[in-house]
Amino acid sequence: MNMRPLIALLSGTIFGAGLTIGGMTDPARVRGFLDLLGDWDPTLAFVMGGALIVMAIAWRFVPGMARPIFEDDFHVPTRNDLTPKLIGGAALFGVGWGIAGLCPGPGFAALAIEPLGAAIFVAAMFGGMGLVRLTER
Amino acid sequence: MMLATFTLPGFPDAAPVDGLIGGGLIGLAAAIMLLGLGRIAGVSGIAAKAAGLGGSGMSRTGAFAFVIGLPLGAFLVMLAGGGGDPSFAGTVPLVIAGVIVGVGTRLGSGCTSGHGVCGMSRLSARSIVATGVFMATGIATVALMNAAGWEVLS
């Protein structure tokens, strides 16, 4: 049996649960974190910190593994060039993140919590991704 | 969901314990993706793949499964009494924000998960720079909107 989709589903499910417990599906929490110059809510820093601690440990296992547990090879990004596209894209993303207090993960997770609003955001996001896809063809 | 009532001095609304637990689970999910499937758990790239818009190199089935898991996980937390009752922005700001997030994450090769969690934790220069940039423009955007009196959340 091909375990890979089940592992991906497990990862996504734990990811969605973590986002929700951490308050990231609440745009007010996320915008509260970004409101550094106003009424700051540091919760997102704890979410990020918790995730970074676990992932920093996980990365240490990779060099000693011949291959991932359920796959043939690791596919880890190797680029280290800082391009205008990277920086411009990240800058744009931050603007969108700030406007509605949603990034992609919480947008999908919130489909279970605030279905209409999350669906509007996700549909618009796919539209934006499609625009980039069109220009890259 | 306020698993713990511990609060930060000076920040009565913050939920540091829930944040750490939620963040730890996000890290665990990303670790399963990395050590199990050898991939980065970057939501924007995986979502693009699921929609047939480029993105992650993983299989489309796997990308679908991961994306379906996100609301499933949120639903399970709701069953346990979490998730709260968040207020979202209205349709116009949601559409504007969604399009900008979609364009930005594809051009910038990632979002909060791929760059902020997966890339930063392996000290990728691209991810550290990207995260610093999107945090900065996010902070600037909220500050400008507040200064202009544009309230999007009711």
Side-chain angles (χ1 to χ4, degrees):
Chain A
M1 183 184 170
N2 182 4
M3 290 290 290
R4 293 165 193 170
L6 281 179
I7 300 301
L9 179 67
L10 177 71
S11 172
T13 305
I14 296 174
F15 205 117
L19 286 168
T20 309
I21 291 172
M24 300 298 98
T25 49
D26 182 354
R29 269 243 187 270
V30 175
R31 294 188 90 245
F33 174 78
L34 294 174
D35 194 11
L36 187 65
L37 310 175
D39 186 15
W40 191 51
D41 179 343
T43 304
L44 189 148
F46 288 86
V47 176
M48 200 108 188
L52 285 174
I53 290 167
V54 177
M55 268 307 278
I57 296 168
W59 280 112
R60 299 186 69 105
F61 285 93
V62 173
M65 292 169 68
R67 42 177 285 189
I69 301 165
F70 299 99
E71 267 285 358
D72 298 329
D73 296 293
F74 281 99
H75 296 275
V76 172
T78 51
R79 288 177 64 176
N80 54 17
D81 52 328
L82 301 175
T83 60
K85 189 178 165 195
L86 172 82
I87 292 166
L92 264 181
F93 163 50
V95 171
W97 190 34
I99 289 174
L102 286 170
C103 54
F108 286 107
L111 287 168
I113 299 170
E114 185 72 35
L116 181 61
I120 292 169
F121 174 81
V122 164
M125 184 178 76
F126 279 134
M129 289 178 170
L131 284 177
V132 175
R133 182 75 169 166
L134 284 176
T135 62
E136 285 177 342
R137 279 229 163 128
Chain B
M1 72 201 288
M2 278 293 165
L3 290 166
T5 50
F6 174 80
T7 54
L8 281 183
F11 300 101
D13 295 331
V17 179
D18 287 17
L20 270 180
I21 294 170
L25 286 173
I26 293 167
L28 174 66
I32 290 171
M33 182 62 79
L34 176 66
L35 303 179
L37 299 176
R39 298 277 178 189
I40 296 294
V43 176
S44 57
I46 296 177
K49 177 69 183 194
L53 300 169
S56 170
M58 74 189 297
S59 79
R60 198 156 175 199
T61 313
F64 254 121
F66 178 84
V67 170
I68 296 292
L70 294 168
L72 178 61
F75 179 71
L76 293 176
V77 173
M78 284 174 73
L79 286 184
D85 185 22
S87 68
F88 272 45
T91 302
V92 171
L94 278 176
V95 168
I96 295 171
V99 171
I100 296 175
V101 166
V103 171
T105 52
R106 295 312 301 138
L107 292 179
S109 305
C111 58
T112 349
S113 49
H115 282 313
V117 173
C118 298
M120 291 243 293
S121 61
R122 74 178 178 105
L123 303 179
S124 151
R126 279 170 62 88
S127 290
I128 292 169
V129 168
T131 305
V133 168
F134 67 64
M135 289 263 181
T137 57
I139 289 166
T141 300
V142 171
L144 284 172
M145 287 170 69
N146 286 347
W150 185 21
E151 291 198 21
V152 286
L153 306 179
S154 48

